[in-house]
């Protein structure tokens, strides 16, 4: 295609269609779909048992990949070397496949190890967070008891504060 022809096609297209960008989204005025109260989605619940199970499976896969998937690499490397020394071009190709397999296997094992370690750390962090929240909520309950005027009967002193001290007249 010649440059002049390209320019002609561009100008014809520009005549038929105005140049503008269109994003695939809803009109901002319509709200963009159902709006729900964020509280209606429910709470995120993470149990230590669930995290531990994910971590165990990831670690198990990490071990199995080394034990079962790595077995083929040494024999493949040996076969590739033998084919290469005998003058077959297939030896180099087989070596290339073996090298790529080993690289991908290492990458997958790293990912499994990362997941396993992350689950352990997350489990510890959530346990610490839960304990911190429990302590904070406990102290808030104690504070609330002191500030809540409705602890006692209406019109009566709050018993949380104890008996009022008597003033001495001088």
């Amino acid at each position: 295609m010649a440059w002049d022809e390209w320019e002609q096609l561009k100008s014809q297209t520009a005549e038929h269609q105005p140049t503008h960008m269109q994003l695939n989204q809803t009109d901002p005025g319509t709200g963009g779909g159902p709006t729900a109260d964020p509280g209606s989605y429910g709470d995120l619940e993470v149990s230590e048992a669930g995290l531990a199970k994910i971590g165990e499976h990831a670690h198990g896969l990490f071990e199995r990949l080394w034990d079962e998937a790595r077995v083929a690499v040494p024999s493949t490397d040996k076969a590739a070397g033998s084919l290469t020394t005998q003058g077959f071009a297939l030896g180099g190709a087989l070596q290339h496949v073996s090298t790529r397999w080993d690289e991908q296997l290492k990458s997958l094992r790293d990912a499994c190890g990362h997941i396993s370690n992350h689950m352990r750390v997350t489990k510890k962090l959530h346990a610490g967070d839960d304990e911190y929240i429990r302590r904070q909520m406990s102290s808030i309950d104690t504070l609330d008891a002191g500030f809540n005027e409705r602890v006692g009967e209406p019109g009566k002193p709050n018993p949380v504060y104890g008996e009022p001290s008597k003033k001495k007249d001088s």
Side-chain angles (χ1 to χ4, degrees), residues 122-151:
T122 302
K123 184 173 124 181
K124 289 179 185 176
L125 286 175
H126 281 298
D129 289 345
D130 289 345
E131 178 60 26
Y132 173 77
I133 291 168
R134 187 190 62 74
R135 285 192 320 265
Q136 294 301 316
M137 295 305 288
S138 175
S139 65
I140 289 171
D141 288 342
T142 303
L143 286 173
D144 280 349
F147 286 108
N148 190 349
E149 296 285 330
R150 290 171 279 177
V151 171

Side-chain angles (χ1 to χ4, degrees), residues 2-3 8 20 26 28 65 67 73 76 95 97 120 141 150:
W3 185 255
Q8 181 184 8
H20 67 278
T26 59
L65 284 169
D67 293 342
V73 174
T76 305
Q95 183 61 52
V97 169
R120 276 192 216 112
D141 288 342
R150 290 171 279 177

Side-chain angles (χ1 to χ4, degrees), residues 60-86:
L61 182 56
F62 176 85
E63 294 296 328
R64 284 189 59 209
L65 284 169
W66 183 255
D67 293 342
E68 297 173 23
R70 178 78 174 99
V71 173
V73 174
S75 59
T76 305
D77 288 345
K78 185 176 179 181
S82 177
L83 287 169
T84 302
T85 56
Q86 294 175 29

